[in-house]
Amino acid sequence: MATRESNERADGTGRRALLGAAVLGASGTVLGLSGTASAADARRGAGRGLKGLPVPTVIGHRGASGYRPEHTLGAYQLALDMGADIVEAGDLVPTRDGHIVCRHEPEIGGTTDVADHPEFAGRRRTKTLDGAPVTGWFTEDFTLAELKRLRAVERIPANRPHNTLYDGRWEIPTFEEVLRWQDEQTRKRGKQVWIYPEAKHPTYFRNLGLGLEERVAKLLRRHGKDGRNAPVILQSFEPTSIQRFSRLVDNPLVVLLSGANTRPWDFVESGDPRTVADLITPEGLKEIASYAQGIGPTLDLVIPRDAAGRLTEPTGLVRDAHRAGLILHPYTLRNENPFLPADFRRGTDPDAYGDVFGAYRAYFATGIDGVFTDQPDTGLLAREDFVNG
């Protein structure tokens, strides 16, 4: 594919080019990875629900966002074609008229062409989002019909200039459209397609009278995807949002965890003094396990980096979470130099690929159950290398 070729570099990425050619056929579908699936299935064992997923699970972060603008049907489709076990479709935010759409954040100035629409110039404003001022255009100020006039663009063009080739190609999908797409892809592929949506800033939206959890739960029930073994994992950085979901649906639930010294925004709003460091103690993990099935920690909580950005020794988080009965799906492994630990970068080019395989091996060795990645094809190749020794 042209976008893959444009990202290849002579400084050590030839191996990736050769592996990529083995994995991807002309149609973009995954070829010759049955050994990966069988080896992983042998470790986990076939089954229903979360227990039926391979280990380590490869989760397409906002789709195949290393190759297409994130949270578009094009990015989701490519992630499946590359063989992702799960597609993170999508980050869920509401519109003014109560629909749920897929955007990385409610502010859409960086992910759509809204700035090119003079009719919406007056919608630009500054708001306080989780305690921080943010200037731009916000989904809650638009009806769904208005948002459908916009088109998605690449969010980080300096790191992914090749993705700008696809600017303007796709509209903003609704969550209901994603649920229908999931059913369609499941029928076409003859196997269950999984998705992993995130409720974004639920306290912020609840304060606006646009509660996310009830709206998302209603859609899941409407489409028959609200059960314990449903192929829809729900996630949020706010533990009370996951607790609310646990009372509304029986889906697998995951609490996302940022830096150790940070506080979830719902804790800030309610006066709960605990930080993420408190949540990842054995006691904190036991509490999470009372209402959720997993955690999604930042990779730095699994293996910290030193002052120079190099990996140090793994923490005990994987061990402690497993003892509490929780799965771990940390985020996010990306191929490009700026996103990798310093010891796995190659040169200083911000859109050049570093030694992402070395990074995968280090994280997989900790025993994590899966990982969010912007390049699912690389994740599958790394899993094959790791699982098969």
Side-chain angles (χ1 to χ4, degrees):
M1 292 183 292
T3 52
R4 291 172 54 79
E5 293 168 1
S6 66
N7 243 346
E8 300 297 349
R9 295 291 186 271
D11 54 350
T13 54
R15 176 174 181 266
R16 184 178 186 280
L18 291 172
L19 288 170
V23 173
L24 292 175
S27 65
T29 52
V30 172
L31 305 173
L33 279 176
S34 59
T36 305
S38 60
D41 288 344
R43 291 181 62 191
R44 169 71 85 177
R48 297 182 65 200
L50 289 176
K51 294 183 178 180
L53 292 170
V55 176
T57 300
V58 174
I59 305 159
H61 185 231
R62 307 173 197 161
S65 54
Y67 305 112
R68 301 289 187 272
E70 64 192 28
H71 287 312
T72 59
L73 289 181
Y76 300 157
Q77 185 72 38
L78 185 57
L80 285 185
D81 289 344
M82 286 181 166
D85 303 306
I86 307 177
V87 180
E88 190 193 26
D91 290 337
L92 306 181
V93 293
T95 67
R96 188 174 69 195
D97 47 351
H99 294 276
I100 303 296
V101 297
C102 302
R103 286 292 84 193
H104 172 49
E105 289 287 340
E107 198 290 300
I108 55 174
T111 61
T112 74
D113 62 357
V114 64
D116 297 330
H117 287 255
E119 70 272 27
F120 297 137
R123 306 280 179 94
R124 189 173 188 268
R125 60 198 63 190
T126 298
K127 298 189 178 189
T128 301
L129 182 62
D130 291 1
V134 178
T135 300
W137 292 262
F138 297 81
T139 60
E140 67 268 22
D141 295 330
F142 292 77
T143 65
L144 177 59
E146 289 172 331
L147 286 179
K148 284 294 187 179
R149 290 154 60 181
L150 308 179
R151 292 296 179 268
V153 300
E154 171 56 36
R155 184 175 59 88
I156 46 174
N159 298 115
R160 292 169 178 168
H162 54 285
N163 279 13
T164 62
L165 294 171
Y166 301 95
D167 285 356
R169 183 169 296 192
W170 292 288
E171 63 181 28
I172 298 174
T174 68
F175 184 48
E176 189 155 28
E177 288 169 343
V178 166
L179 293 172
R180 292 173 181 146
W181 169 84
Q182 179 187 23
D183 290 339
E184 175 187 271
Q185 293 301 312
T186 295
R187 289 192 297 270
K188 286 183 176 180
R189 295 168 188 271
K191 66 176 183 178
Q192 181 62 62
V193 168
W194 281 69
I195 61 173
Y196 209 136
E198 177 189 343
K200 300 291 291 193
H201 306 288
T203 295
Y204 169 80
F205 286 118
R206 184 163 296 279
N207 290 339
L208 294 178
L210 291 168
L212 281 170
E213 296 88 353
E214 293 80 4
R215 287 173 167 82
V216 171
K218 182 178 179 180
L219 289 172
L220 291 174
R221 288 193 294 267
R222 180 184 300 169
H223 289 263
K225 298 179 182 181
D226 57 332
R228 184 176 302 275
N229 292 317
V232 181
I233 305 172
L234 298 171
Q235 57 179 329
S236 177
F237 278 99
E238 298 187 14
T240 57
S241 177
I242 294 301
Q243 289 174 307
R244 190 180 297 272
F245 271 126
S246 73
R247 297 189 291 268
L248 293 169
V249 293
D250 290 328
N251 294 71
L253 304 173
V254 168
V255 175
L256 298 172
L257 300 168
S258 190
N261 295 325
T262 65
R263 290 169 68 196
W265 186 251
D266 52 336
F267 285 14
V268 175
E269 287 268 309
S270 67
D272 188 327
R274 291 178 295 169
T275 65
V276 167
D278 297 307
L279 297 180
I280 59 176
T281 63
E283 296 76 17
L285 293 168
K286 182 178 180 181
E287 179 187 339
I288 290 175
S290 69
Y291 58 85
Q293 287 67 52
I295 57 173
T298 176
L299 287 167
D300 288 345
L301 294 178
V302 177
I303 309 180
R305 304 187 195 191
D306 62 20
R310 296 182 175 84
L311 292 185
T312 60
E313 291 299 311
T315 68
L317 179 59
V318 175
R319 177 200 63 218
D320 293 342
H322 284 165
R323 285 178 178 173
L326 295 166
I327 61 170
L328 294 93
H329 291 160
Y331 64 93
T332 307
L333 261 170
R334 300 172 165 107
N335 292 4
E336 297 93 351
N337 272 328
F339 306 121
L340 287 169
D343 29 352
F344 297 105
R345 298 172 192 162
R346 290 194 175 106
T348 59
D349 189 340
D351 69 325
Y353 291 167
D355 178 19
V356 71
F357 290 99
Y360 271 111
R361 182 166 289 276
Y363 289 112
F364 283 170
T366 66
I368 59 176
D369 300 278
V371 67
F372 286 85
T373 176
D374 288 11
Q375 291 93 359
D377 55 338
T378 304
L380 289 166
L381 291 165
R383 180 173 71 190
E384 184 176 37
D385 286 350
F386 182 79
V387 172
N388 292 329

